[in-house]
Amino acid sequence: MAGFRSLARQVRDARCDLALRRYSLRKCLERFAPYGHRATWDHLCARHGIEPEDRAPDPARLVAALEELERARAVWLAYEESFADRRKREKHGGLRRPSSFDDWHRRTWGGHGVARCDTPSVHPTAPLDEVLRRLIEALGREPGESCPACGAREIEWRKNLAHEPWSGPVCLGCGIVVPRPVLTSDAVAAAKAVGRVAWASVA
């Protein structure tokens, strides 16, 4: 099975036909897709002027989309390396039981679904690497009241999400499932109250 770097080389290879280069970019998203596969693809297409179903898109647009994905992946890999170093130090110091933060991180290892968007067509508009930097900065601070990706305070607790976690706070501004560790208990309670109102209006 080809890795991310091998697939990236195929995307750049002008000797390959455009359909293969597009396919290789889609396969890159099986290795790294911060918003989830479909939402990350939708994001890259929207930002780089690619028609999602176009089998022979402009190669310059494909490469630009790949470069954005690579910048985001570099940000995340650096974060994962620092996270792994921290856990080693904690284990050496006798702290072996992972926290709820570590439980969240376990589900996002490799960068798939770091800032998952439950609705693939609703996602942040900023570059992927910028969104990941904001998220990482938020994970290093005390919990807050707003979405780390876009700063919106309108957050709704939703049940029956498409992926694990199966329920959680969703930003109504940019669509990400907000990581629980970045929100205060008051913000989570407020999101659940908004969710109850939404469920009642549907019932």
Side-chain angles (χ1 to χ4, degrees), residues 2-32 37 41 44-45 48 50 54-70 73:
F4 185 95
R5 291 179 181 175
S6 176
L7 291 164
R9 283 195 294 272
Q10 288 183 353
V11 176
R12 289 190 168 91
D13 192 344
R15 296 168 300 176
C16 296
D17 66 60
L18 285 174
L20 176 59
R21 294 172 71 179
R22 175 191 180 277
Y23 173 78
S24 297
L25 180 59
R26 290 297 300 261
K27 293 293 284 184
C28 283
L29 300 184
E30 293 180 8
R31 312 307 188 268
F32 178 73
H37 190 286
W41 176 246
L44 292 173
C45 288
H48 299 284
I50 300 169
D54 185 356
R55 295 295 188 265
D58 180 345
R61 294 177 188 273
L62 280 178
V63 172
L66 172 65
E67 288 173 347
E68 178 178 345
L69 190 65
E70 287 176 323
R73 183 170 179 264

Side-chain angles (χ1 to χ4, degrees), residues 83 98 100-110 112 164:
F83 175 87
S100 60
F101 166 74
D102 296 318
D103 185 56
W104 169 82
H105 190 92
R106 174 188 56 77
R107 292 196 301 268
T108 61
W109 190 258
H112 200 83
E164 188 183 1

Side-chain angles (χ1 to χ4, degrees), residues 119-171:
T119 303
S121 60
V122 181
H123 42 72
T125 56
L128 283 169
D129 57 314
E130 186 177 320
V131 171
L132 290 187
R133 282 192 189 92
R134 293 174 188 171
L135 179 62
I136 289 167
E137 287 172 4
L139 290 166
R141 297 192 301 260
E142 290 297 313
E145 305 288 329
S146 60
C147 170
C150 71
R153 288 177 172 263
E154 295 74 29
I155 299 171
E156 174 185 287
W157 189 274
R158 292 186 186 167
K159 297 179 178 179
N160 302 316
L161 297 177
H163 299 87
E164 188 183 1
W166 307 113
S167 63
V170 175
C171 175

